[in-house]
Amino acid sequence: MDSPCLEEHMSGEHARLPHGVEVIMTLPGAADRIPAGAEARTVRVTLAPGDPGAPPHRHPGPLYGIVTEGEILFELEGEAPRVLKAGDALFEPGGDVIHYQGANNLPDAQSQLVVTMFAPPGTPVLTVVSPEELAERRHLRVTG
């Protein structure tokens, strides 16, 4: 069975986009999560083959992005780990939610993602979570 045309699933506004422009994902209410006075930061993360990425951490505000190359093993607190491939979009709410994994899922090729983060000026891009806190929040982690 052939899959329906993209235009059949888009709103009237999206159907009027110029050729070559495609809405990959929308997230209603995303602006409600942006801290007051936040700045937008565009961040590129490039991971060598097999790179496990940063240790478990938090971001100071929400981020929204896309995998631009390869595959990323992605895991947020409260969600099962999943593999995001080039072209897949991602969202993280930031704040208290722990980002457990953002690893290169490929052993023999580089992977990359580009995100836009909304965070208060002067805050770090990420803050590593202590082993003690990881143990305290273990019950919030979905393992598969």
Side-chain angles (χ1 to χ4, degrees):
M1 180 173 150
D2 291 338
S3 53
C5 295
L6 180 63
E7 289 79 14
E8 291 176 14
H9 294 289
M10 294 192 309
S11 70
E13 176 184 327
H14 294 162
R16 292 188 296 272
L17 291 172
H19 178 73
V21 177
E22 174 185 3
V23 175
I24 296 170
M25 183 170 87
T26 60
L27 185 63
D32 298 340
R33 299 172 184 261
I34 298 173
E39 63 185 13
R41 303 172 182 168
T42 301
V43 179
R44 178 177 32 230
V45 179
T46 304
L47 300 168
D51 189 329
H57 59 274
R58 289 191 173 88
H59 298 289
L63 60 86
Y64 198 65
I66 188 165
V67 176
T68 56
E69 180 181 349
E71 297 181 1
I72 304 291
L73 177 59
F74 185 76
E75 180 187 1
L76 287 179
E77 186 172 64
E79 298 179 10
R82 65 189 190 272
V83 174
L84 301 173
K85 297 183 179 190
D88 288 344
L90 62 107
F91 173 77
E92 289 191 46
D96 193 44
V97 176
I98 296 173
H99 177 167
Y100 283 101
Q101 293 187 77
N104 185 345
N105 197 50
L106 301 176
D108 57 354
Q110 172 178 291
S111 292
Q112 186 177 86
L113 62 141
V114 175
V115 300
T116 298
M117 172 187 299
F118 300 92
T123 57
V125 169
L126 63 83
T127 302
V128 175
V129 178
S130 72
E132 295 79 20
E133 186 176 3
L134 287 173
E136 290 170 10
R137 296 174 70 110
R138 182 180 15 238
H139 67 285
L140 300 172
R141 191 169 186 185
V142 177
T143 56

